[in-house]
Amino acid sequence: MQQPEFMKLMIDFNKTSFENTFNGIKGMQEQTEKMILSMIEKQPALPEPVKKSVLDWVDTMKKSREEFKATMDSNYKKLKEFF
């Protein structure tokens, strides 16, 4: 096996490992989000600014997670093209 072929296999393995880990963490974050949103809905005494802050935090977390994933996908693509 040539070294470039071996490196491509290593990159594929690493990318698959990353994606599996990322998807697991994403699932945990989504479940936490559902739990938090459910708790917020059941608290009528919770002030509106607090609810808005939590919802903004959840949206920021989602956006950051997707930007991170897009960056990693792009970097894996560039790395694979390099080899």
Side-chain angles (χ1 to χ4, degrees):
M1 181 178 289
Q2 298 292 333
Q3 188 172 5
E5 291 173 22
F6 180 73
M7 291 303 294
K8 286 181 181 179
L9 287 174
M10 292 292 293
I11 293 167
D12 287 341
F13 174 76
N14 192 295
K15 184 175 190 253
T16 301
S17 297
F18 166 76
E19 287 178 351
N20 290 336
T21 302
F22 180 85
N23 289 334
I25 292 170
K26 180 181 175 183
M28 288 185 340
Q29 287 178 341
E30 288 172 346
Q31 287 299 319
T32 303
E33 175 190 342
K34 287 178 186 177
M35 184 180 66
I36 288 172
L37 295 177
S38 175
M39 288 181 355
I40 286 176
E41 289 173 3
K42 294 178 182 179
Q43 296 296 326
L46 200 61
E48 217 36 59
V50 173
K51 288 180 182 180
K52 184 177 179 336
S53 294
V54 171
L55 294 175
D56 288 347
W57 169 69
V58 168
D59 288 340
T60 300
M61 196 171 67
K62 279 184 193 178
K63 182 180 173 191
S64 297
R65 182 179 64 221
E66 294 308 316
E67 287 175 359
F68 176 70
K69 177 73 164 87
T71 299
M72 290 301 292
D73 287 345
S74 171
N75 288 336
Y76 275 119
K77 182 181 176 186
K78 289 176 188 176
L79 187 60
K80 200 167 185 180
E81 287 172 358
F82 179 74
F83 286 102

